[in-house]
Each structure stands twice: as structure tokens, then as C-alpha cells.
Amino acid sequence: MLIIIISILVLVVIIYLYLIKAKSFNREHYKDFLDSFYAHRGLHQGRRIPENSLKAFHLALEKGYGIELDVRLTKDGVPVVFHDDNLKRMGGIDKDVIELSYEEIKALRLYDTDERIPHLQEVLDLVDGKVPLIVELKIFDDEKNQCKIIAPCLDRYKGVYCIESFNPRVLIWYKKHRPHVIRGQLATKNVYDNPNLKERLINLLLRNLMLNFLTEPDFIAYNYKYSHFFSFTLCRLVYRPLTIAYTITSQKQLDRYRKRFQLFIFENFTPR
């Protein structure tokens, strides 16, 4: 009986380790991304210099920081750089980005500034390979068609970039159709604000990295607040993948988590 129990436990451990497996860190593979701090949505400054604006990205370029940015599609399938589903917080109207055409999106202004929501191509033209990019794909449904729209735009970009997403199906698509593109699994305690049973299960699997066996991520981008979670710790110690912390807001935080992460996405302070 004891042998059976031990055998079952060993099997469970083996399966668990298989589920959370990630690619091991290889400095040569990631050399273009190392030695950079990544400005979260650009070097934004509250309402004066809005996040994910061309001005915020220009300031990041001036300081030589890598850039993290968010991409989602408009109603007519145009990739724009914007974080929220809804436009109310930054655009002043209670509509989702997916409800408006690109022409309607272009007419909006961010907060009280002259900055507007940029087309992905505008940002790529501005950066022009000067710094590495971490591109978060805000895709939560219709992954196949949305990836088919965004990927060609990134294909034409000559600079260094990687993609990341909370949605494992996005990484699976990239693994199949763009295997040369470095891809990362984003994870945190909760992805959905008011989760139903299905979403609770997805949250559980994502924060415990238990879909890694499907996505085979090149790196793990993890909310630093939860980096003590067992699955992240085990994955980090056993497989030693590239790990990226988000979103660090002070030098004290950065120094504290240096042993758990290789790269850092930051905002609201000057990292060193």
C-alpha cells in the first residue's frame, strides 16, 4: 500500500513539473533584451504625459529605456496601442475600443492633452529599433483572426521585440505560426475582476503556470507581488527561465526582487 501511495505521489510530482515547464534561460538567445529596464507603457507622467502615448514613448527613447506597450484591435481590425478595454478612463467616453472604428479612435484625445491613441505602426516607426520592445497582446477572444492581423505588422518591424499575453491561446498561436518570435506568459493572481467558475479555473491555472506545457514560453512575466507563489518559485528554481517582473514602482522594490527576476518593467521612478 505504501509503495502505491509513494508511486502516486511521484507521478503527481512528475506531471506537475511537466505542466509548469518553461524554456531555460540562455543569455545568447536573449542578449538583445538584457541590460535594459522597460518603461511600463512608456515614460508616462499621470495626466500630463499619458501612458501608451507617442510622447511617453519618445521620452523613454530619450532615456534609452526599453519599452513595454499594449496592443488591441479596433472595430475595423486596426491595431492600436492602448491598455484598457474601455475608453472612459483615458478617452472620456464609455465605449470599448472594439466598439469604435479607427477613424473614431483617432478623433479622441488622451486626458486633457493633444496626445491621441496611436496606431501600432506609428509606435514602431518612432522606436525604429532604437530600444527593445515588450509587446503585450490584449487578445481575449478570436485569437486566430486577431493574431493574423497584428503579427504581420510586427513581422515588418526591423527592431528587436518580443510578445507576451495573459491569454495562453495567443502564445500557442505564436508557437505554431511564429516560432522564431520570443514569447512570454504573463501571470498574476487574478486576470478577471468578477470571475465566474470557468474564469476562476483559468486564473488558478495561469497563476500556477500550469499551461506552460502548451505554450512553451520563452520567458515568464510575473506580477512581482506574487512571486512567492509556489509554482513560480518552483519553475524559477527548477527550469531557470528568463523572468520579468511587472510593475516595479520604486528602487527599493527593484533591489528586493533582483534575485527572483532578470528583467524589470517599471514606472514612476528612475531605476538604476
Side-chain angles (χ1 to χ4, degrees):
M1 184 64 178
L2 181 59
I3 294 177
I4 294 175
I5 293 174
I6 292 174
S7 299
I8 292 173
L9 289 175
V10 169
L11 180 60
V12 168
V13 170
I14 291 172
I15 292 173
Y16 184 64
L17 287 172
Y18 172 72
L19 295 179
I20 67 171
K21 183 180 180 180
K23 293 183 180 179
S24 297
F25 175 68
N26 181 319
R27 188 174 183 86
E28 184 65 23
H29 185 53
Y30 303 106
K31 63 181 181 180
D32 294 325
F33 294 92
L34 304 178
D35 304 318
S36 290
F37 293 110
Y38 291 83
H40 187 232
R41 307 175 196 169
L43 273 185
H44 57 92
Q45 298 177 16
R47 299 179 69 90
R48 190 170 68 87
I49 302 176
E51 65 191 52
N52 277 327
S53 66
L54 291 179
K55 189 170 185 179
F57 297 138
H58 180 73
L59 288 175
L61 290 175
E62 284 187 338
K63 299 291 186 180
Y65 293 126
I67 293 171
E68 183 270 354
L69 57 92
D70 307 283
V71 177
R72 59 174 66 249
L73 295 182
T74 62
K75 182 179 181 180
D76 48 348
V78 176
V80 294
V81 178
F82 194 73
H83 177 269
D84 298 359
D85 292 333
N86 192 275
L87 292 154
K88 186 174 183 179
R89 178 174 70 93
M90 296 190 66
I93 62 170
D94 192 10
K95 294 278 188 178
D96 288 348
V97 173
I98 197 66
E99 295 181 83
L100 300 182
S101 70
Y102 178 58
E103 289 302 315
E104 292 171 314
I105 290 288
K106 280 204 306 184
L108 301 176
R109 292 298 178 264
L110 298 173
Y111 294 134
D112 302 319
T113 71
D114 292 329
E115 294 294 313
R116 55 184 175 77
I117 298 172
H119 191 295
L120 173 59
Q121 191 60 54
E122 288 182 278
V123 178
L124 297 179
D125 290 343
L126 173 67
V127 178
D128 193 28
K130 297 180 182 72
V131 299
L133 298 177
I134 299 175
V135 181
E136 180 181 345
L137 300 184
K138 292 289 188 179
I139 299 174
F140 295 99
D141 55 31
D142 195 21
E143 295 83 9
K144 181 179 179 180
N145 289 323
Q146 293 199 41
C147 285
K148 282 184 176 180
I149 293 172
I150 296 172
C153 190
L154 292 171
D155 290 343
R156 295 188 293 270
Y157 181 59
K158 302 303 181 183
V160 173
Y161 77 93
C162 63
I163 66 101
E164 63 178 10
S165 182
F166 282 106
N167 187 344
R169 290 187 293 270
V170 171
L171 271 67
I172 292 170
W173 187 92
Y174 259 84
K175 182 179 73 169
K176 180 178 180 180
H177 298 282
R178 298 293 191 280
H180 62 284
V181 175
I182 293 176
R183 60 188 180 273
Q185 180 64 63
L186 274 163
T188 187
K189 185 176 181 180
N190 291 310
V191 176
Y192 301 96
D193 294 329
N194 300 296
N196 55 35
L197 182 59
K198 177 182 176 182
E199 291 164 349
R200 287 179 187 273
L201 176 59
I202 295 173
N203 280 336
L204 178 67
L205 294 173
L206 281 177
R207 75 171 182 244
N208 287 295
L209 305 177
M210 295 179 72
L211 297 174
N212 282 2
F213 76 105
L214 293 173
T215 60
E216 297 183 3
D218 294 290
F219 65 90
I220 306 296
Y222 213 80
N223 187 332
Y224 77 94
K225 296 177 182 178
Y226 308 114
S227 60
H228 61 282
F229 280 8
F230 179 74
S231 286
F232 175 77
T233 301
L234 186 63
C235 180
R236 180 174 60 84
L237 294 177
V238 172
Y239 297 112
R240 298 186 179 278
L242 177 69
T243 53
I244 303 178
Y246 76 91
T247 300
I248 298 292
T249 58
S250 72
Q251 186 64 42
K252 183 178 180 180
Q253 288 177 358
L254 193 154
D255 292 338
R256 179 180 177 184
Y257 290 96
R258 283 187 188 274
K259 292 184 179 180
R260 298 185 188 179
F261 296 95
Q262 282 91 31
L263 297 179
F264 296 87
I265 298 171
F266 75 93
E267 65 181 4
N268 299 329
F269 78 107
T270 300
R272 61 181 187 275

